[in-house]
Amino acid sequence: MKFSLFVHMERLDAGQTHQELYEEFIALCEIADRGGMHAIWTGEHHGMDFTIAPNPFINLADLARRTKNVRLGTGTVIAPFWHPIKLAGEAAMTDIVSGGRLDIGIARGAYGFEYERLHPGLDAWGAGQRMRELIPAVKGLWAGDYAHDGEFWKFPATTSAPKPVQAPHPPIWVAARDPNSHEFAVANGCNVQVTPLWNGDGEIESLMGRFNTACEKAPDVERPKIMLLLHTYVGSDADDVEQAAREVSVYYNYFFAWFKNERPIHQGLIARLSEDEIAANTNLSPAVMKANMPIGTSDQVIARLKAYEALGYDEYSFWIDTGMTFERKKASLERFIAEVMPAFR
């Protein structure tokens, strides 16, 4: 099982500048590269300081000059916000800049907040349909002289300019949860990213089951890869682990608040949650975080990850966005590299 870093700029209050946050983002990525991680993933979000990522290709092009070994992935671009010609060209250029290190993760998107602003009237179903039309179109453009007459996009014969370095094209990953998404990804020769959030081992096993079923339904397609993305914290001792569980609990309370899209938002920041509001979400308690995610000492994290490897996951992505201080993120990542990764070599 390979290991990667999933990371963004994130800002829960106005205490830090965006420039400082970008410097911290770069520092974490450089640690991952020096430490022998397989890849770095960063995604796309708009208008929300909770996850600051307006165009992952810009970040990845910068990282291509600052790193030597890691693959560089979009985790993920939001399909309905892209025209196929634009996505094909920008991705190909990033593949050239990175020397053929690009992976492209694509998703339908999740936040109603973003749909309202970039594509009014769009819902998750419509976004998913656009993703299913976008991916074959981008592949066609990379092959060249491709005309498209679909439900959402129409254009005459066009070739991506430029074309990517990797042949036939950079690996494509689809963020999948429901069985139909797994089946679409596998049938179209795409790898799969899964994110069980805080739902625990039952969801992790179920997601692998859906992937395996999709592979069985497409016996003529070479089995793609599957990546598991989870919040992770490697603590120095029991007290440190308990603090991390509390911090991840707060993070998920804000994640859920953004997802519900009901609270006031000012200057890209959602209205602060009170301690009572956080305590009322018992399904997001620190105890649930600790029970359902690899938040523990290095030995405890190793045991969790060994179970995921045994299920068949090809890649494990360390989701570091937690609202913690940079110093705490850095210490956890360094412990993961020094104490956890060697157990899988």
Side-chain angles (χ1 to χ4, degrees):
M1 189 166 67
K2 296 178 179 178
F3 296 103
S4 56
L5 178 67
F6 190 86
V7 59
H8 300 89
M9 297 164 62
E10 56 169 348
R11 192 168 180 248
L12 298 186
D13 59 52
Q16 283 184 297
T17 68
H18 293 113
Q19 180 65 45
E20 290 169 336
L21 292 171
Y22 189 69
E23 290 168 0
E24 293 177 356
F25 165 85
I26 291 296
L28 293 171
C29 292
E30 289 175 337
I31 290 169
D33 183 51
R34 291 195 303 268
M37 296 188 101
H38 169 69
I40 294 167
W41 298 91
T42 194
E44 175 185 4
H45 290 288
H46 300 278
M48 45 197 302
D49 273 13
F50 183 67
T51 309
I52 303 164
N55 185 332
F57 294 118
I58 295 173
N59 299 59
L60 297 182
D62 187 26
L63 286 172
R65 291 294 183 261
R66 297 173 183 260
T67 61
K68 295 180 179 180
N69 302 306
V70 285
R71 293 194 62 81
L72 301 168
T74 64
T76 53
V77 294
I78 302 175
F81 301 161
W82 287 85
H83 189 286
I85 296 173
K86 185 173 174 60
L87 179 57
E90 290 199 27
M93 183 63 79
T94 307
D95 198 42
I96 291 170
V97 170
S98 67
R101 285 192 278 156
L102 180 68
D103 281 57
I104 302 176
I106 303 178
R108 70 183 186 185
Y111 291 109
F113 173 87
E114 292 179 302
Y115 290 163
E116 286 178 356
R117 285 154 178 80
L118 276 80
H119 212 306
L122 186 67
D123 58 15
W125 169 258
Q129 294 303 102
R130 284 167 172 80
M131 182 181 74
R132 285 165 169 76
E133 185 175 321
L134 178 78
I135 289 173
V138 169
K139 286 183 177 183
L141 288 159
W142 284 331
D145 294 330
Y146 171 80
H148 188 80
D149 185 12
E151 181 180 356
F152 305 109
W153 297 284
K154 300 180 189 296
F155 51 85
T158 309
T159 300
S160 173
K163 288 191 176 184
V165 172
Q166 297 176 83
H169 53 71
I172 299 175
W173 299 71
V174 171
R177 187 173 188 276
D178 65 85
N180 289 335
S181 296
H182 283 267
E183 291 173 16
F184 168 81
V186 173
N188 283 272
C190 301
N191 299 320
V192 171
Q193 298 174 337
V194 297
T195 309
L197 301 175
W198 66 89
N199 293 305
D201 289 350
E203 179 76 356
I204 292 167
E205 293 169 8
S206 177
L207 288 165
M208 178 56 79
R210 293 168 217 172
F211 176 73
N212 286 331
T213 299
C215 292
E216 291 166 4
K217 289 184 176 182
D220 296 332
V221 177
E222 181 180 352
R223 183 182 175 90
K225 295 181 173 64
I226 181 168
M227 181 183 89
L228 175 63
L229 168 63
L230 271 177
H231 280 99
T232 310
Y233 187 84
V234 183
S236 58
D237 55 33
D239 289 341
D240 188 31
V241 171
E242 292 301 325
Q243 181 179 342
R246 292 192 296 272
E247 290 167 322
V248 176
S249 170
V250 171
Y251 174 92
Y252 267 109
N253 272 272
Y254 278 96
F255 177 93
F256 193 61
W258 274 103
F259 190 79
K260 288 178 69 177
N261 195 28
E262 295 173 354
R263 296 179 71 83
I265 295 164
H266 177 66
Q267 293 293 327
L269 294 167
I270 200 165
R272 300 296 294 180
L273 295 163
S274 69
E275 291 186 9
D276 287 344
E277 287 175 309
I278 291 173
N281 281 336
T282 54
N283 62 319
L284 301 177
S285 70
V288 170
M289 301 296 107
K290 191 176 171 186
N292 288 0
M293 283 179 275
I295 299 171
T297 62
S298 56
D299 287 344
Q300 292 168 331
V301 171
I302 288 169
R304 288 266 191 173
L305 270 55
K306 287 287 186 183
Y308 307 150
E309 185 180 50
L311 287 171
Y313 283 101
D314 299 291
E315 182 174 336
Y316 179 84
S317 199
F318 180 128
W319 190 354
I320 205 167
D321 304 338
T322 51
M324 295 180 188
T325 64
F326 168 72
E327 290 72 22
R328 286 181 57 70
K329 292 179 183 178
K330 177 176 180 288
S332 171
L333 179 59
E334 289 175 336
R335 283 190 287 265
F336 185 86
I337 290 169
E339 301 171 14
V340 175
M341 284 172 50
F344 293 83
R345 289 178 186 145

